[in-house]
Amino acid sequence: MRVLSAAPLLQDMLPEISARVQKFRAGSGRPPKVALIRVGDDPASTIYLKTKMNRAHKIGIDSELFAYPEAVAEEEVVARIQHLNQEPSVDGILVQLPLPDPLSEKSILDKIVPEKDVDGLTTVTQGRLFRGDACLAPCTAQGIVRLLKTAHVNMAGKHAVIVGRSLIVGRPLAMMLLHENCTVTVAHSQSRNVATLCRGADILISSVGSPGFVTPEFVKEGATVIDVGISRSCSPDGTKCVVGDVDFRAVAPLCEFITPVPGGVGPMTVECLMQNVVEAAEHLWNGGSASE
Ligand code: GUN
């Protein structure tokens, strides 16, 4: 059994992304920049955004947060996105989800021009991903594929079972694993016999958000288990902690590879966002247009 932590991979990725940022800064005379939009004050969203801004700062990427109260009118958020679409110093735009009711996530996300869609959540980007065309792919799905590649997990022909069908993780990951020639099953809240489906997986990815959801009866001996869940919990001594979907202690002995929570998929998501921002900046700088 090997624990697939993000830390060594991030260490390996740092020189390359730093060099790209340096080169971009030298050529364009400015840093790559990402604009982050938050509506309301969901504590998890606030923490995620702070993590993204800290990582950007460390790499030399500029970031700016636009925070709105929960009761903001949809038109105000849309107007901000339209302004950012046109702003030459901004390379990427991210709207942190979930958005509070009655805001329409899909409608708001689709106002971002695809060239600046660094989270990979617009209809155009997801359509490109579906077709297997080049795009800024959603960060968590990208991070998972990178982790698997780094561990030299042979994906071709393997059965990958994804639990969860969200637009952020499950669906884009299904496409990316298909492109890696996996056989893909997507299980969800209406699926029957989920444990049996999961036990057929060579690669099991859980993105449910329910602590302890994946128990040993879900896992085939020698499987690779990727835990995307992030839930807040309390350890027995009362201190707050973050836990994943997988009962790590019980499941780990069965696995070839397993990701920890925290320190597995989460940091990879942030790193792939940084990669997407640099990618978008380079593309726009090299003449790609951000029209609308
Ligand atoms: N909320 C939880 N994860 C994500 C993410 O990867 N992107 C966005 N935009 N919102 C999220």
Side-chain angles (χ1 to χ4, degrees):
M1 185 274 292
R2 228 185 86 197
V3 177
L4 263 185
S5 297
L9 183 49
L10 298 191
Q11 206 60 35
D12 288 351
M13 289 163 79
L14 190 59
E16 192 206 318
I17 194 162
S18 300
R20 285 171 71 185
V21 169
Q22 287 298 327
K23 192 170 170 205
F24 178 84
R25 292 177 82 123
S28 68
R30 66 170 182 85
K33 179 172 177 180
V34 59
L36 307 160
I37 296 177
R38 189 187 80 212
V39 181
D41 43 27
D42 176 57
S45 291
T46 305
I47 293 170
Y48 292 149
L49 286 172
K50 202 170 274 180
T51 307
K52 289 169 185 175
M53 293 176 86
N54 286 343
R55 188 68 187 169
H57 182 70
K58 174 154 187 188
I59 292 174
I61 295 173
D62 197 7
S63 65
E64 185 171 359
L65 175 66
F66 298 89
Y68 294 95
E70 194 167 329
V72 70
E74 187 156 324
E75 298 72 43
E76 196 176 333
V77 180
V78 167
R80 171 63 64 190
I81 292 172
Q82 282 165 340
H83 175 78
L84 293 168
N85 282 340
Q86 301 286 351
E87 174 52 54
S89 67
V90 170
D91 304 293
I93 304 168
L94 176 147
V95 177
Q96 188 67 24
L97 303 178
L99 293 175
D101 289 337
L103 298 182
S104 162
E105 289 185 353
K106 285 183 176 173
S107 162
I108 288 176
L109 287 169
D110 268 348
K111 300 299 184 296
I112 301 171
V113 288
E115 292 80 4
K116 297 191 180 187
D117 178 21
V118 288
D119 227 12
L121 299 179
T122 61
T123 302
V124 171
T125 305
Q126 297 226 331
R128 285 181 182 157
L129 184 67
F130 191 94
R131 287 166 40 137
D133 295 342
C135 64
L136 297 165
C139 307
T140 302
Q142 255 196 73
I144 291 168
V145 173
R146 266 185 186 258
L147 272 174
L148 292 170
K149 284 187 172 170
T150 308
H152 303 291
V153 173
N154 187 5
M155 289 183 265
K158 295 290 173 64
H159 186 196
V161 177
I162 302 165
V163 190
R165 55 178 160 178
S166 69
L167 286 174
I168 297 186
V169 184
R171 292 177 203 219
L173 181 60
M175 288 305 124
M176 293 184 79
L177 291 177
L178 267 183
H179 301 328
E180 298 294 335
N181 299 312
C182 284
T183 302
V184 180
T185 298
V186 181
H188 48 79
S189 54
Q190 302 286 309
S191 297
R192 294 191 204 143
N193 304 321
V194 175
T196 309
L197 284 174
C198 291
R199 224 170 25 246
D202 302 305
I203 303 168
L204 172 61
I205 302 107
S206 181
S207 176
V208 173
S210 171
F213 176 79
V214 176
T215 57
E217 64 154 343
F218 284 57
V219 180
K220 177 166 77 178
E221 182 110 34
T224 290
V225 174
I226 307 289
D227 192 348
V228 189
I230 299 182
S231 307
R232 264 136 257 286
S233 180
C234 267
S235 39
D237 66 4
T239 51
K240 284 186 191 159
C241 63
V242 168
V243 294
D245 288 351
V246 178
D247 180 349
F248 187 92
R249 226 190 277 177
V251 166
L254 293 169
C255 300
E256 183 176 10
F257 295 104
I258 184 167
T259 60
V261 176
V265 173
M268 290 306 297
T269 299
V270 177
E271 205 58 20
C272 289
L273 172 66
M274 300 302 134
Q275 297 268 347
N276 276 355
V277 173
V278 175
E279 193 84 29
E282 290 169 346
H283 179 73
L284 289 166
W285 179 245
N286 288 323
S289 64
S291 51
E292 197 187 72

